[in-house]
Each structure stands twice: as C-alpha cells, then as structure tokens.
Amino acid sequence: MELKEFNNQVHPSPDYPSPYSSQDSLRLRTVPAQDTSAVQFDWASPPEDAEDSNEPQNLRELPLHMSLKRAVWQVQQMKVPVVSSSWNIKRSKTFHRFCEVAKYILSYFVLWKRGIQRIGGHFGGGVQSYFLFLRFLVILNFLSSLLIAAFVLIPSIVFRSMNFNSTIALTVNRTDVETCLQYNPKPDALMVFFTYFLDLVSGTGFMEYSYLFYGYYNNSMIESNGFSYNIPLAYLLTAAFYFLFCLICMIIRMGVSARLVIVTGGGAAGGYSMLVFTGWDHGLQGDRATKLKQNNLRHRLQVDLEEERLKKRAASLTLGQTVSLYALRVFLNLIVLILIGATFYGIAEATQFSQSRKTTGFVGLLLQYLPSMVITASNFVVPLLCDKIALLEKYSPSTTVILALLRAVFLRLVSLGVLLYTLWEQITCKGEINSENCTPCNYYYDQYKCWETRVGQEMYKLTLFDFLITIATLILVEFPRRIVVDHCSCKLTQWVGRQEFLVAPNVLALVYSQTVVWTGALFCPLLPFINTIKFIFFYYCKKITLFHNCQPATRNFRSTTSNFFFLLVLLFGWMLSSVVLLYSVAKIHPSYGCGPFRFYPAMWEVVPGAVEMLSSTSKEFLFYIGSQKFSIPLFIFSCVLLCYVSALTSVHGKSVALLKSQCKLEQRDKQFLVRQLEELNATMQKLQREPQQPQRETEPFYHTATQWHQHTNYAFDPHEDPKPY
C-alpha cells in the first residue's frame, strides 16, 4: 500500500474513469496520446504475468532505468515493519544458505554427474539419455545387491562361520531318494592354473560350490535364545522383494517420463518452426559438435520432408500399386519371420547339443559357451538383415526405425525365452515326470544333479560373454576403425567413416543384460552385484569409445519418447523374468542334493510351513489378508484410486491444453502489436516524406488529445475499433 499512496501523491488520479481499468484484450485497446518526455511508473500495478498483486516485484526484470529502480527500491525498503525481529530474518537467510550449501555438497555425490553433463554438452540429449539410463541400472543393481547381501549372503556366512547348521526336519522318505542326494561338486586340492581359469569363466569347479550359486546355500533354520532365522524363507522372500523393488523403481521412473511426454505433447516436433527456432542445443561445445548438430538438424528436416513426400505419394497410389505394395510388405515380413524362426531353432539346437555333451578342457569350454555365442551372433546379424529389409518396405523413416526396434526387442527377449524353455524341457523330461529319466527324483537327475545351479551357470555365462564381447569390440574393432579412417585418405575409408553411436541398439543391449540378471537372480544370488561391476565398466568403455571413436548418429530418437519406450521394454524383460521365477518356484521340483529347498516338493512350500510355525494371532492376521473380506474392499479401493488418478490426469491434460491455447492467444496479441508498430512506422515515414503543412488535418487524430496535469484527457480519444488482424 505504500507504493500506491506514494504514486497517488506524485501523480494524483483523474476524476474521470480510465479505459485502462478494464482487462480487455490488447486488440480492443486504443493508443492514447501521452507525453513521451516524462517517465511515468505505476507503483501499485503488479506485473502482467503476476498471479497475486501482493507479491513483491523483481526490479531486475522491470524495464526501468537505474535511477527509477533505485527510487522503487528505497520505497520498498520503507515497507519493512519496524517491529519485525531481525533474528527471524537472519534465521531465514541462514536456512536458505544452508539449503544451498547442502545441495552443492550433495551434487558431488551424484554418480557420474560431471561426466554425463560433459557428454550431453558435446553430443546432445539423445546420447546423454543412454548414460542416464545406464546410471539408473547401476544404482538399481547396487541397491538390489545390498538387499540380497543383507538377508541371504551375510546370514549364511555368519551361520557357517559359527557352525550353526541346524537343518530343517525331513519331509520325505530318505531311502526312496537315496540316489538323488549324491551331489559333490568340490574339486580336487591340486589343480593347475589353466583349470582355475576355465572354472572361473564357466562357473564350474570351485565356482560352482561357492556363495555365487544356489547349490551352496543350506536349508538351515537357526534358533538361539529366542532368535530364529529361516534361510530358505529368507532366500525366497528376498527374491520376491527384489523383483518387487525393481518394479516399483521402474514404475516411478516411467511416471516421470510419462509426465514429461504428456506435457510436451507426446514429443511431437510441432512443425518446422519448432525445429528451426527451438531445436538448437545451446550446451554444445566445440566446432565438431556444432557441425554435427547442424547436420543433425538438417537431416531431421530432410526426414520430415521425406515423410511428407511419402504421405503424398501413398495418397496418390492407384489400387493396383497399393495392392502390390502391401503384397511386398507381407512377403518381406514372412522373410523376417523365417529369419527369426531359424534363429530360435538354432538356439534350441545349440542348447540341447551343449547340455548333452560332457567334454573337458578348452573344447568343453567352447561347448558350454555355444548357446551364448549363438544368441550373441543372432542378436548382431539378424537385426542388421531386418534393417536392410525394412528399407525395402517403403515405410516412413520414423516408422522404419520403430519397426526395426520392435523386431530387435522381440528377437532379444524371445531368444532368452527359447533358451530357458529348452532347459526346462530337458530338466522336466518334456513335462513327463513319470518317465524313465525323471524317476525317482521328479527331474532329470543324471544330467542335472543340481539343476538350479546349471541354470544359474547359463545366466552367468551369458552375462560374462556379453561383457567380453563388448571389451573385444572396443579393442579389436572400434579403435582400429578409427585409426584407419583418420590416417587413410582413400575413398572407401572416407565413405565408411567413423562409427556412429546408435542410442537405441545400445540401450536395448542394456535391457537384454538386465533381463538376463533378473532371470538368473534366483539361481545366482550374486549376479546383480556382478552386473553392477559390469555396467560400471560399460560406462567407462562407452565413454572412451564415444569421445575417441564414435560420432553421434544422424538418426536418433526424441529424448522424451525414447526414455519411456526403453523403460517399457525393460518392463517387458521384467515380466519375462517374473514368469521364469513363478514357474520355477511353483512347478519344478527342487533338487534333493543341493540348495535351501531340498526335500520340499516345491519352493513355495516353505511359505505355508513358516506360517504354521507362527502364533495364532499372526496366522489369523495373514489369513484375513488373504481372505475375501480384505481382498474385495482392497480391490474396490484400488478401482476408486485408479479413477481418481485418471480424473486427475484428465484435469492436468486440460490444464496443459488451456495453457497452450493461452500461449496461442499471446502470440496473436504479439502479432497484433507488431502490425500496429508497422502501421505506425509506415505512417511516420509517410509524414516525414510529405512537406510540412500548417493544417491540423494532416496530423494523426490521436495527437489532438489534450492533457490535464500531465494526464491524458480520454474524452478526446477516438471510439473506432482497431483494424482486425
């Protein structure tokens, strides 16, 4: 109120009403005649974009000269109440300063913050999204490793060191399954170094009977002085919470990405003007990165024009041409399906051949890695062939990229599913438990004495082989290619050029690796920790090859939609791993000679046995949670919550649409002002060209408005509406 009173004393308000008191649009206002020599400032009027007039104005944002800003600042200092305590002001300033210092200190603990910022500055947000996704997976695997170590690994180590081997009572007749209890994977005491290396790479020998795999853990339950710990129950529940924790983290991150996609309108480019005026990345550094970004923008414009050309061409096709085009696409899709089917058949045959042969030495190592080699080779060759075939289908560039990615996702995830299905068929004798090979152990004991460890070994070899292939590609392919391209000036090498850093295939490789870890986490508890180390090496290897060997791809995803798409693919991998977990826990009989679930008909049977040992109150509570009295209200509450979230999303969408419409109206107002300025400029230039005449008719009408005490007399304003724009 002090600003308003000061303004009234300096410039008293006129007795007549002002037309500027209304909140009409700019197009309905007229231009009054004012004395431009005097500077006027409305001390009480808030900024146009302020929602609350009581909020203080930011003097740095006001278009005023320094003397007037100094006067306004002095007036604002008079508004500070005298009775206010200086201690409160100091406390608020200290608190804000403490928050800033805390944020600054915590920024140093963000993993790879400066490195990822540097990558984004040199190569843009598309490549940066890959490293952000990699950091998310590193943190996820590290936290999962802590969870498994806290509830499974450390208790097992402590109980073994303290000789607490109180096993659970047998629930089966030992004499009937005497042959199934024989399992002794301990190697000999004297071994050569080459044998140690083979065991380390293949997961056999001393690696097989260690904390790395399922078979080393005992079915023990410790009870001492009122303390009890059930290792089988902790093993199963930890695996379940591990999957649940990963799902919650993915949903939270997908929610953030989906919110960004909704706000940005689905990641649409918004026309050529959006790409031209707002498509530049101002964080780029260096001439090379600038030229690459310019080429990227030019290519995106070419892609948009190509899509428009293909749409017009598709609309102008005749009936015969349309039929021939769709026939060509159907034929090419059949070829792609044949390639993928042949890949799946090759993976199944390689798995059966590898599992049926028992060979030692280097040849045995190659046989053990045969499924991994076939899967890796198929994931490299088949997507390349599918990309070449997709070019012949004559889709738009964006549709071509999306279709190639979907085929690559299907190939990677289903190839892993084929490997697991082949293993399950051999373990369960193709579902015939009463067959000769599966009696009396209810699984193929002669070939799989501890089938859980064998499955964990396959996942361990897939993880290790993927890491070795990445290192070998970096050393043997990418560095020599860069050296040849930089030091050879022939046309072939210049045509090949440096390797492009393709974001989509690299992210899909991370999704595949994480899916392998989820699949083998039940049978290899330390696999998340191994994958954490692997992804850390991936970060430094990809960073080195990015800055020294690669260049950004000319075709890339939009950063908003690509993040959500990659998380969605990761969710599909989680679902595949969850199916494997549920099938292994509920259907397949555990091994008799190894693991914490020996002598149980199924892994899930440990949960009812643990519930029976609880008190009556705890059992009644658990039974109530599983009953219809609790599940039906929970389902209704979930439906109501889902409807509320859906309505809230709709309201937010309408708010975004309203804000966009307001932005359009503001753009129209700016266009109107620009046209008014152009007309005024044209009028002034016309008056300057014409000779000065004494008649008042030659002057503009709004210059005849008189003033009273330096205030415009609005009674002389014209009443004509401005010209429509």
Side-chain angles (χ1 to χ4, degrees):
M1 294 302 293
E2 289 80 357
L3 288 175
K4 189 172 182 180
E5 293 175 357
F6 182 76
N7 184 37
N8 292 333
Q9 293 176 4
V10 178
H11 301 291
S13 59
D15 298 330
Y16 41 84
S18 175
Y20 282 86
S21 60
S22 61
Q23 299 296 330
D24 296 336
S25 176
L26 290 173
R27 292 166 288 171
L28 301 180
R29 299 177 185 175
T30 57
V31 182
Q34 295 180 355
D35 187 8
T36 57
S37 62
V39 179
Q40 298 181 1
F41 175 71
D42 190 0
W43 302 86
S45 61
E48 294 181 356
D49 56 347
E51 297 180 357
D52 190 2
S53 60
N54 295 326
E55 295 181 358
Q57 300 179 4
N58 190 0
L59 293 179
R60 295 182 180 178
E61 299 178 357
L62 294 178
L64 303 174
H65 52 81
M66 291 301 299
S67 60
L68 190 56
K69 285 185 178 181
R70 189 177 295 108
V72 174
W73 179 78
Q74 292 175 358
V75 173
Q76 287 182 351
Q77 293 299 317
M78 296 169 59
K79 296 173 61 176
V80 180
V82 182
V83 296
S84 61
S85 175
S86 60
W87 184 80
N88 294 330
I89 300 176
K90 291 181 180 179
R91 185 180 60 177
S92 61
K93 291 182 179 180
T94 305
F95 179 74
H96 287 298
R97 191 180 298 110
F98 173 76
C99 293
E100 293 178 358
V101 172
K103 290 180 181 179
Y104 181 75
I105 294 175
L106 290 177
S107 63
Y108 284 97
F109 295 95
V110 177
L111 185 63
W112 302 326
K113 179 182 178 181
R114 297 186 180 275
I116 293 177
Q117 286 179 350
R118 184 186 174 204
I119 291 170
H122 283 276
F123 297 93
V127 179
Q128 188 181 17
S129 64
Y130 165 79
F131 289 91
L132 290 174
F133 186 73
L134 178 60
R135 183 175 67 182
F136 167 71
L137 291 181
V138 168
I139 296 175
L140 182 66
N141 283 276
F142 179 71
L143 295 178
S144 303
S145 303
L146 294 180
L147 178 66
I148 294 174
F151 293 98
V152 177
L153 181 62
I154 295 178
S156 300
I157 295 175
V158 171
F159 295 157
R160 279 182 178 271
S161 62
M162 298 179 66
N163 296 325
F164 287 162
N165 294 323
S166 177
T167 58
I168 300 176
L170 300 178
T171 57
V172 296
N173 191 356
R174 190 182 181 94
T175 57
D176 296 338
V177 292
E178 188 67 29
T179 57
C180 303
L181 298 175
Q182 298 178 3
Y183 176 70
N184 187 18
K186 297 180 180 180
D188 298 333
L190 298 177
M191 294 177 61
V192 295
F193 177 77
F194 180 70
T195 306
Y196 273 107
F197 175 76
L198 293 180
D199 293 342
L200 179 65
V201 175
S202 61
T204 57
F206 76 96
M207 293 286 291
E208 181 175 352
Y209 198 67
S210 64
Y211 289 103
L212 180 62
F213 292 108
Y214 166 92
Y216 189 72
Y217 295 89
N218 291 329
N219 59 334
S220 58
M221 184 177 65
I222 309 303
E223 294 182 355
S224 176
N225 297 326
F227 171 77
S228 63
Y229 198 88
N230 194 337
I231 293 293
L233 183 63
Y235 193 98
L236 183 61
L237 293 183
T238 302
F241 280 114
Y242 164 59
F243 274 75
L244 184 61
F245 171 74
C246 294
L247 177 62
I248 293 173
C249 293
M250 285 189 296
I251 289 176
I252 293 174
R253 195 173 180 88
M254 286 181 68
V256 176
S257 301
R259 189 184 303 113
L260 184 60
V261 169
I262 293 174
V263 170
T264 55
Y272 302 106
S273 61
M274 181 72 72
L275 184 61
V276 171
F277 293 105
T278 64
W280 186 256
D281 191 352
H282 295 276
L284 295 174
Q285 300 175 0
D287 296 336
R288 180 171 174 267
T290 303
K291 291 180 180 179
L292 289 173
K293 186 63 178 180
Q294 292 174 353
N295 295 332
N296 193 357
L297 291 176
R298 183 174 65 252
H299 179 77
R300 289 177 63 182
L301 289 173
Q302 291 176 356
V303 168
D304 292 338
L305 294 174
E306 182 69 17
E307 289 184 355
E308 294 295 333
R309 187 184 67 82
L310 291 176
K311 288 180 181 179
K312 292 182 179 179
R313 183 179 178 182
S316 62
L317 291 177
T318 61
L319 180 60
Q321 292 175 346
T322 304
V323 172
S324 62
L325 179 61
Y326 279 99
L328 177 64
R329 290 176 179 176
V330 170
F331 175 72
L332 294 177
N333 283 321
L334 289 176
I335 294 178
V336 171
L337 290 177
I338 290 173
L339 286 175
I340 295 177
T343 302
F344 293 160
Y345 178 77
I347 293 173
E349 291 296 326
T351 304
Q352 292 180 0
F353 182 78
S354 174
Q355 297 294 321
S356 60
R357 300 284 180 173
K358 295 182 179 179
T359 308
T360 59
F362 184 74
V363 178
L365 181 65
L366 291 179
L367 287 176
Q368 291 180 8
Y369 270 90
L370 184 60
S372 302
M373 290 187 289
V374 173
I375 291 175
T376 304
S378 62
N379 289 336
F380 177 75
V381 175
V382 176
L384 289 179
L385 297 177
C386 292
D387 291 342
K388 301 301 181 183
I389 292 174
L391 296 177
L392 302 175
E393 294 177 336
K394 298 180 180 180
Y395 286 109
S396 62
S398 59
T399 306
T400 302
V401 173
I402 292 175
L403 188 62
L405 285 175
L406 290 177
R407 288 169 178 171
V409 169
F410 178 77
L411 176 66
R412 284 181 176 271
L413 296 184
V414 180
S415 62
L416 184 60
V418 170
L419 172 65
L420 293 171
Y421 179 75
T422 307
L423 289 175
W424 297 152
E425 274 194 337
Q426 295 186 2
I427 292 172
T428 60
C429 302
K430 296 182 179 181
E432 299 178 0
I433 301 178
N434 297 325
S435 61
E436 181 180 358
N437 293 328
C438 287
T439 55
C441 302
N442 296 323
Y443 59 91
Y444 197 0
Y445 170 77
D446 294 336
Q447 189 172 350
Y448 302 95
K449 292 181 172 56
C450 185
W451 63 265
E452 296 91 349
T453 299
R454 291 291 295 273
V455 175
Q457 289 173 350
E458 292 297 328
M459 300 300 107
Y460 171 77
K461 288 183 286 187
L462 282 174
T463 302
L464 187 60
F465 189 74
D466 187 25
F467 173 72
L468 295 177
I469 288 296
T470 302
I471 300 298
T473 304
L474 174 64
I475 298 175
L476 302 178
V477 177
E478 294 178 358
F479 273 110
R481 178 177 177 176
R482 192 259 299 176
I483 294 173
V484 171
V485 170
D486 292 347
H487 295 84
C488 184
S489 59
C490 61
K491 294 183 178 180
L492 180 61
T493 57
Q494 297 301 322
W495 178 75
V496 172
R498 285 194 175 190
Q499 182 181 358
E500 293 183 349
F501 189 87
L502 302 176
V503 178
N506 283 281
V507 173
L508 292 180
L510 295 180
V511 172
Y512 168 74
S513 301
Q514 186 61 39
T515 305
V516 171
V517 171
W518 282 333
T519 306
L522 180 66
F523 315 108
C524 183
L526 297 185
L527 200 57
F529 178 73
I530 296 174
N531 201 46
T532 304
I533 301 175
K534 171 186 169 182
F535 281 166
I536 291 175
F537 276 100
F538 267 22
Y539 169 77
Y540 291 103
C541 292
K542 294 296 181 181
K543 183 180 178 181
I544 291 173
T545 189
L546 179 66
F547 281 100
H548 294 86
N549 303 328
C550 297
Q551 62 181 1
T554 53
R555 294 185 180 183
N556 53 6
F557 265 12
R558 298 184 181 98
S559 59
T560 54
T561 56
S562 61
N563 292 330
F564 184 80
F565 176 75
F566 293 142
L567 289 170
L568 186 63
V569 174
L570 187 64
L571 183 61
F572 289 155
W574 180 88
M575 294 173 62
L576 175 63
S577 306
S578 300
V579 171
V580 174
L581 175 67
L582 294 176
Y583 183 77
S584 303
V585 168
K587 291 295 183 181
I588 305 181
H589 196 287
S591 300
Y592 282 100
C594 65
F597 302 102
R598 62 189 78 179
F599 309 124
Y600 281 103
M603 295 183 185
W604 178 253
E605 293 295 330
V606 68
V607 177
V611 171
E612 291 296 331
M613 298 176 62
L614 297 175
S615 61
S616 59
T617 305
S618 301
K619 288 193 290 185
E620 290 177 359
F621 176 73
L622 294 177
F623 290 152
Y624 174 76
I625 291 178
S627 63
Q628 297 178 355
K629 296 179 181 180
F630 180 80
S631 59
I632 293 178
L634 180 62
F635 176 74
I636 296 175
F637 175 75
S638 302
C639 293
V640 172
L641 183 61
L642 182 62
C643 293
Y644 170 74
V645 173
S646 178
L648 191 63
T649 305
S650 177
V651 171
H652 288 169
K654 292 180 181 178
S655 300
V656 171
L658 181 60
L659 291 175
K660 289 182 179 179
S661 63
Q662 290 179 359
C663 291
K664 291 181 180 179
L665 291 177
E666 290 181 0
Q667 292 175 1
R668 292 179 182 178
D669 289 339
K670 292 178 182 178
Q671 292 175 0
F672 169 74
L673 290 176
V674 169
R675 292 183 182 180
Q676 290 291 95
L677 290 174
E678 290 177 353
E679 292 178 359
L680 181 61
N681 189 17
T683 305
M684 296 299 295
Q685 291 179 359
K686 183 178 179 181
L687 290 176
Q688 289 177 0
R689 295 193 192 98
E690 294 180 356
Q692 296 292 334
Q693 297 180 4
Q695 288 82 3
R696 294 172 59 89
E697 286 79 4
T698 59
E699 298 180 358
F701 182 76
Y702 57 84
H703 281 291
T704 60
T706 61
Q707 292 186 352
W708 184 262
H709 291 292
Q710 297 182 354
H711 288 279
T712 303
N713 190 352
Y714 298 102
F716 293 94
D717 286 348
H719 297 285
E720 291 84 357
D721 293 332
K723 295 180 180 180
Y725 61 98

